[in-house]
Amino acid sequence: MTMSLLRRWAIASPNSFSRIRGFRSNAALEALVKASEDKTPVVALYNYPSFSGTFSALFARLFHSHLNVPCLILPFSSVEPLRVEDLCIEGLKKCYFLDFLGPRGFAAELSQRTSCEVIGFDHRKSVPSKVSSDRDCRGNLSFHVDIEKSSSISAYEYFSAKLKEMKSSDGESINLLNLKDRDHVELVLKHIEDADLRRWSVPNIKA
């Protein structure tokens, strides 16, 4: 089931949201220091609190686990957000913004100061104006903004497609989710999208 999948991820991942809850907390900053020491190449920041952000973080974790690439996952909240300087860690090559794009200019400054690739996902109608100003700053920014699709579905499709482009050692395509979990997760994503986009078409979605 979907919740068991989330629980397995939380238990298996030492840097998962179950371990680091405090936004710009000492635990989050210590995790970034450790990531810098280890030259962790990927950081994924997810909007918190947000179902879309949480599931997007799950997909980022699964994707990089399949590839055996270290990935630090941390919550990002506007209440007490991480700062650009917090994220300027040694060896950073890619940073995901999941279900948010950060304050205006945040992504552009991070990419300029670290030379890392920044990939963001958002669905909010207020976002396009931020995207146009940031995109002009540097070529290694990639924003996936679709106001007709929730961020979690965009992230799910992105990581699934990227993984399918790669082949296993026996030449077979690699799937982000196994068949047992896929239908459950996709159903949950449809419910999340219905609320994110305020369609309210799913029965009892407001309950």
Side-chain angles (χ1 to χ4, degrees), residues 48-81:
Y48 181 91
S50 159
F51 285 118
S52 261
T54 300
F55 272 86
S56 297
L58 169 62
F59 302 141
R61 169 61 62 191
L62 292 173
F63 175 78
H64 291 92
S65 293
H66 279 298
L67 302 180
N68 292 316
V69 174
C71 175
L72 174 65
I73 296 180
L74 292 172
F76 188 98
S77 171
S78 59
V79 175
E80 189 180 1

Side-chain angles (χ1 to χ4, degrees), residues 106-160:
F106 187 92
E109 184 180 352
L110 177 62
S111 69
Q112 289 168 354
R113 291 179 61 173
T114 64
S115 296
C116 76
E117 181 181 6
V118 176
I119 302 172
F121 298 85
D122 208 334
H123 59 262
R124 293 164 183 82
K125 293 181 179 179
S126 60
V127 165
S129 61
K130 295 181 182 179
V131 171
S132 59
S133 61
D134 273 0
R135 263 192 183 146
D136 294 336
C137 297
R138 198 172 178 89
N140 57 348
L141 299 179
S142 177
F143 296 136
H144 300 262
V145 179
D146 188 340
I147 62 174
E148 298 298 326
K149 183 185 296 185
S150 73
S151 303
S152 51
I153 289 183
S154 292
Y156 174 61
E157 292 176 348
Y158 173 86
F159 288 117
S160 294

Side-chain angles (χ1 to χ4, degrees), residues 156-200:
Y156 174 61
E157 292 176 348
Y158 173 86
F159 288 117
S160 294
K162 286 290 183 183
L163 202 56
K164 281 192 174 182
E165 291 174 3
M166 305 170 187
K167 300 290 184 181
S168 63
S169 57
D170 57 6
E172 295 293 324
S173 295
I174 308 172
N175 294 313
L176 189 67
L177 298 171
N178 60 42
L179 289 174
K180 179 181 177 182
D181 292 318
R182 190 181 306 163
D183 289 344
H184 296 299
V185 171
E186 290 180 355
L187 179 61
V188 172
L189 292 180
K190 289 183 182 299
H191 281 72
I192 292 173
E193 181 176 73
D194 195 63
D196 278 350
L197 303 185
R198 291 173 170 76
R199 290 172 176 159
W200 313 123

Side-chain angles (χ1 to χ4, degrees), residues 9-62:
W9 172 54
I11 292 170
S13 170
N15 297 316
S16 66
F17 63 87
S18 66
R19 301 290 184 88
I20 300 173
R21 300 185 180 90
F23 316 133
R24 194 176 183 270
S25 64
N26 288 335
L29 296 176
E30 287 169 6
L32 285 164
V33 170
K34 180 66 164 55
S36 187
E37 292 171 352
D38 295 341
K39 294 183 170 56
T40 300
V42 181
V43 171
L45 306 174
Y46 67 95
N47 184 24
Y48 181 91
S50 159
F51 285 118
S52 261
T54 300
F55 272 86
S56 297
L58 169 62
F59 302 141
R61 169 61 62 191
L62 292 173

